Amino acid sequence: MTNNDDKNKTFKVAIVGATGAVGLEIIRTIHSRSFPCAAPSLYASARSAGKTVATPYGALTINEFERGDVACAKYDVIFLAVSGSFALRYARDLASSTMTAEEGGGGGPLVIDNSSAFRLVDDVPLVVPEINLDSVAATTRLIANPNCTTAIAAMALWPIHCAHGGIKRCIVSTYQAASGAGAEGMEELKRGCASQLETNELPEAKVFSHPLPFNVIPHIDKFQENGYTKEEMKVAWETRKIFNDPQMLISCTAVRIPTLRAHSESITVETRAPITPASARESLTNQPGVAVVDEPLDNVYPMPLTATSRHDVEVGRLRQSLVFEEYGLDLFVCGDQLLRGAALNAVLIAEG
């Protein structure tokens, strides 16, 4: 985390992977939240080096990532919007560099990694700031950003967990937008929709396992030996770590749907103490980062259409579970995958 004690400091920021969907959203988010920095330095692969991108800071040039150049540039914060293999190779090295903007000032830059590389590593905090910022020590230099689906669900589940004796069991079904596969996924969906409407033929699928237009695909990430996909298991593994509750039982089915951005999730919970829609609503209403959108008789409920580009996670369709009865609740959640599920969460970590 950055040091908020120095209110007048301007931080030096780098974004590695700046040409991807998450990298571009980080640029917009640090600007919209008035994060105290000058225009960030942007890094990507050699293929993108020299190109310019339009940003709220004006046109910025992409630099080719070179470990030595980044380490020697004395950054305070480095956002990684890169693959897991890239993060494994460079993240710890960058975080351990002592060449920061304030010479001799407390170790290396703060490195916030959006990949899955360090999320389950014991000595790396996995952080949703509204939930477990206290897991970050003052000397921590590497922090993992959760999986987008996990981050969105966690925002809704945490206040319920705290107010009702903890969550005993949780069943999640996700409806995940093309943005979860990055800019390439969104572009494939847009091109495929246009092509299929024009030709009435199935478009080619390169990013997804099947054509996504007018389809749903119950397959995100690689299948594991237990029959679940890795995406589904990430929700279980990461939620337990963020909540510091290894006993919580979580089952997830992850489905890709043909929307551009904002993931939706249908969630059923069994709590250890009795729960009602009214008590859940009260706990959710008091949770920063959550918007209760729950007037179903007026057709008001969470939707990707309304959650897109919104910082808050929308929560609604609060109902007493017919399965778990007085200990159970059904709810529906929507959150912008590129914001709450990635860029916004990373910037909130940096703000500390």
Side-chain angles (χ1 to χ4, degrees):
M1 297 181 294
T2 54
N3 183 0
N4 285 335
D5 292 336
D6 188 351
K7 300 298 183 182
N8 297 317
K9 178 174 179 178
T10 297
F11 295 96
K12 193 172 182 182
V13 172
I15 300 170
V16 182
T19 57
V22 173
L24 292 170
E25 199 66 49
I26 290 173
I27 300 170
R28 290 189 284 265
T29 302
I30 60 175
H31 183 270
S32 68
R33 292 187 61 82
S34 299
F35 187 82
C37 67
S41 298
L42 308 184
Y43 294 90
S45 66
R47 182 180 57 195
S48 298
K51 296 180 180 178
T52 60
V53 293
T55 79
Y57 299 92
L60 298 181
T61 301
I62 301 295
N63 304 289
E64 180 179 358
F65 175 84
E66 294 285 351
R67 182 267 169 203
D69 292 345
V70 176
C72 292
K74 304 179 183 179
Y75 291 111
D76 297 291
V77 182
I78 302 175
F79 295 99
L80 297 183
V82 295
S83 67
S85 58
F86 184 102
L88 284 171
R89 182 175 179 182
Y90 292 109
R92 283 194 187 274
D93 187 35
L94 291 171
S96 65
S97 168
T98 58
M99 304 188 71
T100 57
E102 295 181 345
E103 293 294 341
L110 175 64
V111 176
I112 302 171
D113 177 32
N114 278 274
S115 81
S116 62
F118 295 97
R119 290 173 184 158
L120 301 178
V121 176
D122 287 342
D123 67 338
V124 178
L126 177 65
V127 175
V128 175
E130 294 89 342
I131 297 174
N132 65 331
L133 196 62
D134 58 359
S135 68
V136 181
T139 56
T140 298
R141 309 319 300 158
L142 176 60
I143 299 175
N145 219 26
N147 171 269
C148 52
T149 313
T150 304
I152 291 165
M155 289 297 297
L157 293 176
W158 179 248
I160 293 172
H161 181 76
C162 292
H164 300 89
I167 293 173
K168 185 177 180 181
R169 294 183 176 89
C170 181
I171 302 168
V172 183
S173 296
T174 75
Y175 313 93
Q176 297 181 221
S179 58
E184 298 86 355
M186 291 189 288
E187 187 59 32
E188 180 168 295
L189 174 60
K190 288 189 285 188
R191 285 200 311 266
C193 285
S195 172
Q196 190 166 343
L197 286 170
E198 182 178 348
T199 67
N200 202 31
E201 295 180 359
L202 290 178
E204 183 180 12
K206 293 182 178 180
V207 176
F208 303 108
S209 54
H210 298 278
L212 186 57
F214 313 104
N215 191 24
V216 297
I217 305 171
H219 175 193
I220 302 175
D221 213 330
K222 296 178 181 178
F223 280 99
Q224 308 295 289
E225 290 185 1
N226 63 359
Y228 288 80
T229 65
K230 192 172 183 181
E231 178 80 3
E232 293 161 349
M233 293 309 303
K234 286 175 186 176
V235 174
W237 295 329
E238 294 178 20
T239 302
R240 292 186 191 119
K241 181 174 179 178
I242 294 166
F243 285 24
N244 192 28
D245 187 352
Q247 303 305 315
M248 187 187 301
L249 299 177
I250 304 171
S251 177
C252 178
T253 300
V255 181
R256 187 76 69 192
I257 65 170
T259 54
L260 280 177
R261 57 188 284 177
H263 291 349
S264 303
E265 306 179 29
S266 174
I267 303 176
T268 296
V269 296
E270 180 188 12
T271 52
R272 298 186 183 279
I275 186 172
T276 66
S279 67
R281 178 188 293 270
E282 181 179 1
S283 62
L284 289 162
T285 299
N286 294 325
Q287 175 67 31
V290 169
V292 176
V293 182
D294 191 37
E295 300 294 341
L297 297 182
D298 294 324
N299 299 330
V300 175
Y301 26 67
M303 297 185 297
L305 190 67
T306 51
T308 293
S309 299
R310 186 173 188 178
H311 283 196
D312 288 348
V313 170
E314 296 185 349
V315 184
R317 294 297 318 279
L318 303 176
R319 293 151 287 152
Q320 198 78 50
S321 170
L322 299 180
V323 175
F324 298 120
E325 299 180 314
E326 67 175 315
Y327 290 90
L329 186 82
D330 293 327
L331 60 154
F332 195 74
V333 179
C334 284
D336 190 306
Q337 178 269 330
L338 293 175
L339 281 170
R340 181 74 258 183
L344 174 64
N345 199 79
V347 174
L348 289 172
I349 292 171
E351 291 176 354

